[in-house]
């Protein structure tokens, strides 16, 4: 009785009672197919996946159920080949069964009772260990700051009440599924790319000397949401000071002066899927001769990379082919200091999708359905090593059967394209304060 009470308390503490939509983006057959595939990796146990605490739903939970309701738990039984979804409220049981295709929907309070019954069938529970930080490999149950993450706390409590269970990390098995996008997922990502690309176009139209980085951020956010997106897919990065180029700077507080180059790294989210886009443009709408030269180089490199991306190669091996292509335009990658001639990371439900799960975008053989970031860059440094200039392009690339597709192809890239759009009127032109 004590064990059961403890786990009921645990689920209440971890979970809670906020209600959101329980519908899904995809047909229930798609969610079911994902769960069936995962069952093949856990024939000797059960998978336990916990939902969010009230904020945005966790990516793995969305992937396998489409359920947005926080404080939920999913069990995928690899032995019986069934799926049980635990929710704080089961008033919409029939609707949830129909939308998700799970076998059973049960009240959250019954989770401990069902877990107790599994002791007679298996001692193995698979669950995703926390990977909130890149490269973080948990040692036991403690994170680097000696604080239990939510996932690790959940495991700790179960181990305390049911010491017979052994836990195995489920991240790699899930990553193998999530890294290959289905046709339905690709369509959602195409829409995320369209929305995000149009936001970049609107920012180019509105950008003017004297604006603050946060003003550009606001235009990005408005446009993404106005077009049906959920908001930013990740923390927006809009540096106009060269020292922050190609970094995770996110203060976005600096006033952008005439002559500055802006290097935004901003992608929107649509139905939980995100894209990754970076650009480089002069705030005054006119490139200097040196900026034109750098733009020509980086556009040539990006175009060459898109000719090389294809199934059957590792992105870490593509530099030689890219060099052969750009050499015809008089470009030497090493001499110009171009770096990241490879797939930088996967993209999907997270901008750095399935990170830390042992499936590298650099060394994995590319397959159709993989979506990745292509973001070559150049940094210009002074004699003391300080960054004084640079250029970067980032696109979201889908690997196809015979090559690749640039999902973010609508973003203006060349000098001519950027200057043309920046000469057009944008939102900011209609929101200027009247002179006092």
């Amino acid at each position: 009785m004590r064990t059961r009470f403890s786990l009921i308390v645990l689920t209440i503490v971890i979970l809670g009672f906020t209600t959101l939509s329980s519908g899904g983006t995809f047909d229930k057959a798609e969610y079911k197919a994902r769960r069936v595939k995962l069952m093949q990796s856990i024939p000797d146990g059960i998978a336990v996946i916990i939902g969010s605490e009230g904020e945005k739903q966790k990516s793995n939970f969305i992937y396998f159920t489409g359920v947005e309701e926080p404080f939920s738990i999913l069990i995928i039984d690899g032995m019986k080949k069934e799926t049980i979804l635990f929710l704080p409220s089961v008033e919409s049981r029939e609707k949830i069964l129909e939308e998700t295709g799970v076998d059973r929907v049960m009240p959250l309070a019954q989770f401990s009772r069902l877990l107790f019954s599994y002791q007679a069938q298996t001692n193995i529970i698979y669950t995703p260990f926390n990977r909130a930080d890149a490269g973080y490999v948990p040692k036991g149950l403690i994170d680097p700051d000696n604080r239990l993450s939510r996932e690790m706390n959940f495991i700790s409590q179960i181990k305390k009440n049911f010491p017979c269970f052994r836990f195995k990390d489920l991240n790699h098995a899930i990553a193998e599924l999530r890294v290959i996008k289905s046709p339905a997922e690709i369509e959602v990502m195409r829409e995320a790319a369209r929305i995000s690309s149009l936001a970049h176009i609107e920012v180019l139209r509105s950008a003017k000397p004297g604006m603050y980085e946060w003003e550009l951020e606001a235009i990005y956010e408005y446009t993404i949401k106005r077009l049906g997106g959920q908001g930013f897919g990740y923390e927006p990065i809009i540096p106009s000071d060269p020292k922050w180029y190609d970094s995770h700077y996110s203060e976005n507080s600096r006033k952008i002066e005439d002559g500055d180059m802006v290097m935004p790294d901003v992608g929107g989210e649509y139905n939980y899927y995100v894209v990754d886009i970076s650009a480089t443009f002069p705030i005054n709408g006119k490139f200097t001769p040196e900026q034109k030269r750098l733009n020509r180089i980086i556009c040539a490199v990006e175009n060459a990379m898109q000719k090389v991306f294809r199934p059957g190669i590792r992105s870490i091996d593509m530099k030689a082919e890219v060099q052969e292509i750009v050499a015809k335009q008089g470009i030497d990658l090493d001499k110009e200091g171009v770096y990241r001639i490879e797939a930088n990371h996967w993209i999907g439900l997270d901008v750095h999708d399935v990170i830390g799960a042992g499936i590298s975008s650099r060394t994995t053989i590319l397959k159709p359905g993989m979506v990745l970031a292509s973001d070559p860059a150049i940094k210009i440094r002074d004699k003391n090593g300080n960054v004084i200039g640079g250029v970067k392009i980032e696109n979201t690339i889908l690997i196809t059967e015979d090559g690749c597709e640039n999902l973010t192809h609508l973003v203006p890239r060349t000098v001519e394209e950027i200057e043309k759009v920046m000469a057009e009127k944008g939102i900011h032109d209609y929101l200027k304060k009247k002179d006092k």
Side-chain angles (χ1 to χ4, degrees), residues 42-59:
I42 57 169
D44 55 348
I46 61 171
V48 178
I49 301 173
I50 59 175
S52 72
E53 293 182 282
E55 71 281 9
K56 174 186 168 184
Q57 185 59 281
K58 290 181 175 294
S59 296

Side-chain angles (χ1 to χ4, degrees), residues 25-26 31 34 49-53 55-68 74 128 131 150-151 171 174-175 178 181 185 230 233 269 271-274 347-355:
T25 300
F26 306 107
Y31 294 115
R34 296 171 184 176
I49 301 173
I50 59 175
S52 72
E53 293 182 282
E55 71 281 9
K56 174 186 168 184
Q57 185 59 281
K58 290 181 175 294
S59 296
N60 285 334
F61 209 89
I62 280 291
Y63 183 76
F64 288 110
T65 68
V67 171
E68 294 180 305
L74 179 69
R131 289 290 195 276
R150 183 162 174 266
E151 290 82 359
N171 275 303
I174 293 176
R178 282 178 53 182
K181 306 300 185 290
E185 287 180 287
Q230 290 165 273
E269 179 177 5
N271 283 348
Y272 281 89
Y273 285 80
V274 306
I347 307 173
L349 285 165
D350 298 299
V351 68
H352 287 186
D353 214 30
V354 301
I355 190 169

Side-chain angles (χ1 to χ4, degrees), residues 385-432:
N386 300 311
V387 178
I388 57 174
V391 63
K392 175 184 176 183
I393 283 181
E394 183 168 21
N395 284 307
T396 299
I397 302 294
L398 165 69
I399 301 300
T400 62
E401 293 292 335
D402 57 359
C404 75
E405 174 187 341
N406 178 10
L407 298 180
T408 48
H409 64 91
L410 292 177
V411 180
R413 294 303 191 187
T414 67
V415 169
E416 294 75 20
E417 291 170 346
I418 293 171
E419 289 187 348
K420 180 178 182 297
V421 172
M422 293 190 75
E424 300 171 357
K425 287 187 178 297
I427 292 173
H428 185 259
D429 294 291
Y430 300 100
L431 296 178
K432 289 180 179 179

Side-chain angles (χ1 to χ4, degrees), residues 272-287:
Y272 281 89
Y273 285 80
V274 306
V275 293
D276 202 353
I277 304 175
S278 294
T280 312
F281 63 87
I283 192 66
N284 60 18
K286 292 294 180 181
F287 286 78

Side-chain angles (χ1 to χ4, degrees), residues 10 17 60 68 95 136 140 175 200 203 207 223 239 243-244 252 260 273 291 295 311 333 335 347 361 368 387:
L10 165 67
F17 296 99
N60 285 334
E68 294 180 305
K95 180 175 181 287
Y136 164 42
H200 275 267
V203 164
T223 309
K243 71 179 180 181
W244 297 116
N252 302 335
D260 287 342
Y273 285 80
Q291 290 166 353
N295 175 273
L333 296 175
K335 182 178 178 180
I347 307 173
S361 60
V387 178

Side-chain angles (χ1 to χ4, degrees), residues 290-362:
E290 175 61 10
Q291 290 166 353
K292 288 181 179 180
R293 187 185 76 84
L294 291 175
N295 175 273
R296 182 183 73 84
I297 292 171
I298 211 68
C299 284
V301 172
E302 176 67 9
N303 290 337
M305 290 175 69
Q306 291 180 33
K307 292 177 181 178
V308 175
F309 278 126
R310 63 184 183 275
I313 69 165
R314 303 187 311 165
S315 74
I316 199 171
D317 299 326
M318 65 190 295
K319 183 176 178 180
E321 286 188 68
V322 172
Q323 176 60 73
E324 184 178 352
I325 294 171
V326 299
K328 297 175 183 178
Q329 301 173 60
I331 298 170
D332 185 310
L333 296 175
D334 293 330
K335 182 178 178 180
E336 298 294 349
V338 184
Y339 60 96
R340 258 197 327 261
I341 313 299
E342 59 191 12
N344 192 17
H345 55 84
W346 306 118
I347 307 173
L349 285 165
D350 298 299
V351 68
H352 287 186
D353 214 30
V354 301
I355 190 169
I359 302 178
S360 168
S361 60
R362 297 171 176 85

Side-chain angles (χ1 to χ4, degrees), residues 167-215:
F167 285 84
K168 294 186 177 182
D169 190 6
L170 193 59
N171 275 303
H172 186 79
I174 293 176
E176 288 186 318
L177 301 180
R178 282 178 53 182
V179 78
I180 303 292
K181 306 300 185 290
S182 70
E185 287 180 287
I186 291 168
E187 285 306 308
V188 172
M189 293 196 71
R190 284 195 178 107
E191 181 61 9
R194 185 189 73 85
I195 290 170
S196 300
S197 299
L198 292 177
H200 275 267
I201 291 172
E202 186 54 51
V203 164
L204 286 175
R205 288 186 179 127
S206 296
K208 300 291 185 295
M211 294 179 70
Y212 285 85
E213 294 164 345
W214 59 262
E215 292 184 85

